[in-house]
Amino acid sequence: AEGTLTIGPAILTGRAENQSRAYGGINPVFTVTYTGFVNGEEASLVTGALVASSPAGTNSPVGNYPITVSGQSAPNYTIDYVAGTLTVVPAALLVTADNAGRVYGQSNPVFTATISGLVNGEDANVLGGTLVLTSSAEAGSPPGNYPIVASGLTATNYAITFGNGTLTVTPGTLMVTADNQTRAYGAANAALTGTVTGVQNGDNLTASYTTLASASSGVGSYNIVPVLNDPDNRLGNYSVTINNGTLTVTPAVLTVTAEDQARRYGAANPPLTASYHGFVNGEDAGELSGSPSLSTTATANSPVGLHPITATLGTLSAANYQFALVNGILTITQAS
């Protein structure tokens, strides 16, 4: 009697391929790999739409999630589906210290940072720890560039990379200004003074002041030049502005006095003469040019009494003197 050979479907294994993506990203296209074909057959026999899914959404935290597949068929095969794994890895997060600047001698500003890479509408509140921003620069650090180092933040769903910023310390502004001075020709120079502004950090910076003018220097203007004293070599930390002062030498006052004279009534006026008082630097009348004009209104018939002798500048001049004119008196006494 004949029997019956029953040929049942072969087992075809459909294995969901493992996938990975970053936190906050969308799921990739899920795929399946079939194994178990016989008789030299291949995946072209498989028909129908693959149904693949995972419970992981864009906001699912870092971890592993199943990938399930189904929905396809192949003649002469029974498909046994095996789930795969979707691995959600931390998203890349960059925390970069912002660049900052300040002037030498000042305190560091409040440092800030820029956070880029947050997903799912999240903000910095989802991060753990405390943002720490530090720099090796202190108030006394010389001008230059110093790193601003960020650290301290943690996150479950983010892989944090910290980026340094740059603190640029610029030179301080130092200004030295000599005070103006005025003196008369022949006088000694007064103490030369000035001001130094902008010294930072208690740096030992002072100034002295010099001028080429001496007591014998003629009337005119002379520079008063500041000279900075820097025993600790700190001037390199400053942008220096030097303002010269001016020593103004004014003419000395020379008093020209019409000398008193006397004569009798009816006599001719005597020669009118002048005396000088106020020469400096050992000088004498040889420094003068011209002569003063001396006159009186008294004539031979002017009555007994006191009559002025008037001194005017006349042709008198001198490079380094100005003149104070003092009148004299002609005394007319009784004739014998």
Side-chain angles (χ1 to χ4, degrees):
E2 294 181 354
T4 299
L5 172 62
T6 301
I7 299 176
I11 300 299
L12 193 64
T13 302
R15 186 178 300 277
E17 295 181 311
N18 295 334
Q19 302 280 4
S20 67
R21 66 163 175 84
Y23 169 74
I26 61 173
N27 290 337
V29 175
F30 297 133
T31 57
V32 65
T33 299
Y34 290 103
T35 58
F37 288 106
V38 295
N39 294 329
E41 295 172 344
E42 57 186 25
S44 59
L45 291 176
V46 178
T47 60
L50 179 66
V51 177
S53 64
S54 175
T58 57
N59 59 350
S60 296
V62 169
N64 293 322
Y65 298 85
I67 302 171
T68 57
V69 290
S70 63
Q72 293 187 308
S73 62
N76 298 320
Y77 291 92
T78 296
I79 299 177
D80 183 12
Y81 285 105
V82 178
T85 300
L86 171 64
T87 301
V88 177
V89 298
L93 188 72
L94 180 61
V95 180
T96 305
D98 297 327
N99 295 333
R102 66 166 175 84
V103 176
Y104 166 76
Q106 296 181 355
S107 300
N108 289 338
V110 176
F111 297 133
T112 58
T114 299
I115 300 175
S116 57
L118 291 167
V119 295
N120 294 328
E122 295 174 345
D123 56 27
N125 291 326
V126 301
L127 305 179
T130 301
L131 177 62
V132 178
L133 297 164
T134 60
S135 175
S136 60
E138 300 174 340
S141 298
N145 294 324
Y146 300 84
I148 302 171
V149 180
S151 63
L153 291 178
T154 61
T156 301
N157 294 318
Y158 293 92
I160 300 177
T161 299
F162 293 99
N164 291 346
T166 300
L167 172 64
T168 301
V169 178
T170 56
T173 299
L174 186 72
M175 181 176 293
V176 186
T177 303
D179 296 332
N180 295 330
Q181 302 275 6
T182 301
R183 66 165 174 83
Y185 169 71
N189 292 335
L192 301 178
T193 58
T195 56
V196 180
T197 57
V199 175
Q200 300 288 336
N201 215 44
D203 290 341
N204 184 19
L205 295 171
T206 58
S208 56
Y209 305 90
T210 63
T211 182
L212 296 178
S214 63
S216 60
S217 298
V219 169
S221 297
Y222 300 85
N223 282 336
I224 301 173
V225 181
V227 178
L228 280 166
N229 306 311
D230 179 24
D232 299 327
N233 296 317
R234 297 298 174 86
L235 272 182
N237 297 328
Y238 296 89
S239 174
V240 180
T241 299
I242 294 179
N243 298 315
N244 291 344
T246 299
L247 171 62
T248 302
V249 177
T250 59
V253 176
L254 187 68
T255 302
V256 181
T257 303
E259 295 180 311
D260 294 339
Q261 303 287 349
R263 68 169 173 84
R264 291 185 181 276
Y265 171 75
N269 289 336
L272 302 180
T273 58
S275 63
Y276 302 94
H277 176 74
F279 285 109
V280 294
N281 293 331
E283 296 172 347
D284 54 26
E287 300 295 320
L288 306 178
S289 298
S291 60
S293 176
L294 303 170
S295 63
T296 181
T297 59
T299 62
N301 60 353
S302 295
V304 169
L306 302 178
H307 299 267
I309 301 172
T310 303
T312 60
L313 197 59
T315 60
L316 185 64
S317 65
N320 294 316
Y321 293 92
Q322 60 182 346
F323 302 101
L325 300 171
V326 179
N327 293 336
I329 294 175
L330 172 61
T331 303
I332 299 178
T333 59
Q334 293 176 323
S336 299

